[in-house]
Amino acid sequence: MGTQIKAEFQVLSWQETPYEEPEQGAKLLRIAVKKSFRGPIEAESSAELLMCQGEGNSAGYVASERVSGSIEGRMGTFVIQHGGALVKGQPDFSFGYVVPGSGTGALQGLRGSCAFQHDASGAVFTLDYSFE
């Protein structure tokens, strides 16, 4: 797409609210998440996730997340939408993108794709981006 950067991130808060818990079948949750990013992205974010928790450590989620701060020194805000699924605790698929037209300030015109990764080395956010 253009430029690829990676930033470490940390989950600052995670507040789950179940909205459907049937006796049988998957549980549905709404989750409010706050994060901080460090590195080429210096920012904080606020996200709303809709999650489905299935049996056997399987789950799926979709999220909208507003990021406020800077990308390589350019200040502003932008919104990402992302989601994914786990099958028996292992990542199955994921997607993520910058919502077109969501950038403000010096991040106006931001476009791109993104991914979140959690592993033994920590939590990393990858952004492939360009400007219109």
Side-chain angles (χ1 to χ4, degrees), residues 1 3 9 14 20 28 33 39 42 48 51 57 61 70 73-75 85 90-91 101 106 118-120 124 128 131:
M1 166 135 293
T3 303
F9 73 91
W14 178 282
E20 189 172 320
L28 300 177
V33 180
E42 291 286 333
E48 289 290 325
M51 180 177 276
N57 202 21
Y61 84 95
S70 68
R74 295 176 71 150
M75 295 292 295
Q90 298 301 310
H118 302 265
D119 60 25
V124 176
D128 289 294
F131 287 89

Side-chain angles (χ1 to χ4, degrees), residues 25-91:
K27 178 166 70 169
L28 300 177
L29 305 135
R30 183 173 286 111
I31 305 167
V33 180
K34 296 204 181 291
K35 296 179 193 150
S36 66
F37 298 81
R38 299 294 171 251
I41 300 173
E42 291 286 333
E44 294 199 348
S45 72
S46 178
E48 289 290 325
L49 284 67
L50 295 178
M51 180 177 276
C52 174
Q53 285 184 336
E55 294 183 17
N57 202 21
S58 295
Y61 84 95
V62 293
S64 289
E65 182 167 354
R66 182 177 311 279
V67 181
S68 303
S70 68
I71 296 176
E72 298 187 304
R74 295 176 71 150
M75 295 292 295
T77 67
F78 61 99
V79 174
I80 55 176
Q81 291 185 323
H82 52 95
L86 293 174
V87 175
K88 298 180 181 176
Q90 298 301 310

Side-chain angles (χ1 to χ4, degrees), residues 76-127:
T77 67
F78 61 99
V79 174
I80 55 176
Q81 291 185 323
H82 52 95
L86 293 174
V87 175
K88 298 180 181 176
Q90 298 301 310
D92 187 47
F93 75 90
S94 66
F95 69 89
Y97 60 91
V98 176
V99 175
S102 68
T104 66
L107 299 177
Q108 209 165 16
L110 180 69
R111 299 286 306 262
S113 61
C114 61
F116 290 92
Q117 181 179 359
H118 302 265
D119 60 25
S121 63
V124 176
F125 175 69
T126 302
L127 178 65

